[in-house]
């Protein structure tokens, strides 16, 4: 039994999801003729109270398209130093859009309205023009941290005052919604554009969706084409997304519960220095200085446990729908009896 806790992207489609995919009605989406992807896009747009949504093969492409739609070359986006768009999208902000990132030194991937205000460049020709603020909820490198919605509203006020766009990287927004009992429409009212991932937590094999109103989404399909992301009978994948929205949202609380239980065990182990606060399905922890990280990962792999190193001495575990109760009990037992 392999226990893979590297990411919530390692899941396989369930039988129910596969059945939905195989029975999907499809057409050529480049000709705007795939009924199932249209249904998914319309459903997500309606969920968030927006007028348009567009399916993408990846969250990175959805985010990169949003950056392109909000900015012009030479401009600047404000984001946290841990932001996915800065750390894990291969320098796409500069390569694809010709923009720079003004990094905020936030708290576990989150920052305040006052920090945004301070990060806006002066209106002088020798500064990059600030045009966009980007938020990631939950924040991956913050350990699946959850933003305070009231702070997000304050940031929106700053954006309005300075005529800045407001984009949400909501790759794991579903986790935030179920944990805090918030609604998609609350976020739709706040952000100009939102990307959501269907293959993180919800069990889909592929897919993200970019959501916004008509004005910001006007050229989204064109940019997706420029980035090479147009697809044909995409309804087979969209059907997985529809199934996930119907069946896999509420169960995310199970992942959160298991993550917190793992954190409790880790915090009691002498070779663990710290465990960061656990709010959703991500556990980030640090080994004691005298513990060899490579050896630690190797010894767990020999027990069929997979996890990932994040650099700077930190490691990450992510619970997900394919991580069962049986696996959880076994992993907890291994941790409690683990010897270096």
């Amino acid at each position: 039994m392999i226990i893979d806790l590297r990411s919530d992207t390692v899941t396989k489609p369930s039988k129910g999801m596969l059945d939905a995919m195989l029975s999907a009605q499809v057409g050529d989406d480049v000709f705007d003729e795939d009924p199932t992807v249209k249904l998914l896009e319309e459903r997500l747009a309606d969920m968030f109270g927006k007028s348009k949504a567009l399916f993408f093969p990846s969250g990175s492409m959805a985010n990169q398209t949003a950056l392109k739609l909000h900015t012009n070359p030479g401009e600047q986006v404000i984001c946290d130093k841990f932001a996915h768009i800065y750390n894990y999208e291969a320098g796409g902000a500069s390569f694809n859009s010709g923009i720079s990132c003004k990094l905020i030194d936030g708290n576990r991937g989150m920052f305040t309205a006052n920090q945004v205000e301070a990060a806006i460049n002066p209106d002088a020709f020798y500064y990059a023009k600030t045009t966009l603020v980007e938020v990631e909820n939950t924040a991956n490198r913050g350990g699946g941290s959850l933003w305070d919605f009231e702070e997000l509203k304050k940031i929106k006020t700053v954006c309005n005052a300075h005529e800045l766009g407001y984009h949400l990287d909501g790759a794991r927004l579903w986790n935030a919604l179920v944990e805090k009992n918030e609604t998609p429409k609350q976020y739709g009212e706040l952000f100009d554009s939102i990307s959501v991932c269907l293959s993180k937590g919800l069990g889909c094999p592929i897919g993200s969706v970019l959501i916004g109103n008509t004005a910001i989404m006007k050229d989204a399909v064109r940019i997706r084409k420029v980035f090479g992301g147009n697809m044909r009978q995409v309804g087979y994948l969209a059907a997985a997304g529809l199934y996930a929205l119907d069946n896999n949202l509420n169960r995310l609380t199970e992942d959160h519960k298991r993550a917190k239980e793992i954190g409790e065990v880790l915090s009691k182990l002498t070779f663990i220095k710290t465990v960061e606060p656990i709010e959703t399905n991500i556990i980030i922890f640090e080994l004691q200085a005298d513990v060899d990280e490579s050896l630690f990962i190797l010894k767990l792999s020999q027990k069929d446990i997979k996890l990932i190193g994040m650099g700077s001495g930190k490691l990450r575990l992510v619970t997900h729908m394919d991580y069962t109760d049986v696996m959880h009990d076994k992993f907890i037992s291994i941790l409690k009896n683990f010897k270096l």
Side-chain angles (χ1 to χ4, degrees):
M1 181 170 59
I2 304 294
I3 302 176
D4 193 341
L5 294 169
R6 290 173 297 171
S7 176
D8 45 6
T9 59
V10 302
T11 57
K12 305 293 195 304
S14 65
K15 183 183 184 303
M17 182 176 285
L18 287 171
D19 289 343
M21 295 169 70
L22 289 171
S23 62
Q25 293 184 340
V26 298
D28 192 323
D29 186 49
V30 175
F31 292 134
D32 196 29
E33 294 176 354
D34 191 297
T36 306
V37 78
K38 284 184 178 181
L39 188 60
L40 175 65
E41 290 169 348
E42 289 166 2
R43 179 168 175 183
L44 282 167
D46 182 66
M47 281 178 70
F48 285 86
K50 298 291 193 184
S51 54
K52 296 284 288 184
L54 188 65
F55 187 93
F56 283 81
S58 75
S60 289
M61 187 181 284
N63 281 334
Q64 289 299 309
T65 296
L67 295 181
K68 190 77 171 173
L69 293 172
H70 279 285
T71 65
N72 293 305
E75 294 178 349
Q76 192 165 78
V77 54
I78 293 172
C79 62
D80 190 83
K81 65 181 180 182
F82 286 164
H84 195 278
I85 63 164
Y86 176 73
N87 288 280
Y88 301 121
E89 297 185 9
S94 58
F95 188 89
N96 296 318
S97 296
I99 61 174
S100 57
C101 297
K102 173 69 77 68
L103 302 181
I104 291 180
D105 186 10
N107 175 31
R108 298 173 56 231
M110 303 173 292
F111 45 83
T112 66
N114 288 339
Q115 287 178 296
V116 172
E117 187 83 50
I120 298 171
N121 283 337
D123 187 17
F125 71 89
Y126 41 82
Y127 285 99
K129 183 180 180 182
T130 304
T131 50
L132 178 64
V133 175
E134 186 268 357
V135 159
E136 183 182 331
N137 192 25
T138 68
N140 171 27
R141 284 193 61 179
S145 53
L146 295 164
W147 282 73
D148 174 11
F149 195 78
E150 291 303 311
E151 196 64 43
L152 292 175
K153 288 164 65 175
K154 291 177 184 176
I155 294 172
K156 176 64 171 180
T157 300
V158 174
C159 290
N160 288 342
H162 295 273
E163 298 182 340
L164 307 179
Y166 200 21
H167 174 64
L168 172 63
D169 175 358
R172 292 185 176 90
L173 181 61
W174 309 117
N175 296 84
L177 294 178
V178 300
E179 186 66 23
K180 298 193 74 175
N181 198 28
E182 295 167 343
T183 69
K185 279 192 168 59
Q186 284 179 276
Y187 283 85
E189 290 170 359
L190 210 56
F191 288 90
D192 300 313
S193 59
I194 299 168
S195 65
V196 292
C197 190
L198 301 169
S199 60
K200 291 185 177 75
L202 296 191
C204 294
I206 188 173
S208 288
V209 177
L210 183 63
I211 306 157
N213 284 330
T214 303
I216 192 65
M217 294 292 287
K218 178 176 178 291
D219 289 323
V221 71
R222 183 186 302 275
I223 300 305
R224 188 181 69 177
K225 175 67 173 177
V226 170
F227 289 166
N230 281 5
M231 293 176 282
R232 300 294 179 173
Q233 286 72 32
V234 72
Y236 293 116
L237 300 175
L242 289 167
Y243 179 90
L245 292 174
D246 286 336
N247 296 278
N248 296 343
L249 268 174
N250 291 333
R251 62 148 308 280
L252 289 170
T253 55
E254 299 172 23
D255 299 341
H256 303 173
K257 178 176 179 290
R258 291 180 183 135
K260 290 166 186 172
E261 289 171 354
I262 292 170
E264 288 176 8
V265 175
L266 287 172
S267 66
K268 296 173 183 176
L269 300 177
T270 57
F271 50 85
I272 303 295
K273 181 179 179 181
T274 57
V275 179
E276 296 189 5
I278 300 167
E279 297 181 90
T280 52
N281 67 323
I282 299 177
I283 307 116
I284 294 178
F285 63 99
E286 186 176 354
L287 299 170
Q288 296 286 3
D290 61 346
V291 178
D292 185 288
E293 179 181 322
S294 298
L295 180 61
F296 177 77
I297 293 174
L298 175 63
K299 282 186 172 291
L300 280 178
S301 70
Q302 290 171 345
K303 296 181 181 295
D304 296 324
I305 309 292
K306 294 184 178 182
L307 72 164
I308 195 168
M310 299 189 73
S312 303
K314 293 185 177 182
L315 299 101
R316 187 185 77 168
L317 299 160
V318 186
T319 55
H320 51 77
M321 65 186 306
D322 284 3
Y323 175 62
T324 65
D325 285 335
V326 172
M327 292 178 179
H328 185 57
D329 291 343
K330 180 179 178 182
F331 183 46
I332 293 293
S333 177
I334 287 172
L335 282 179
K336 288 180 175 178
N337 297 285
F338 192 74
K339 298 288 190 296
L340 285 168

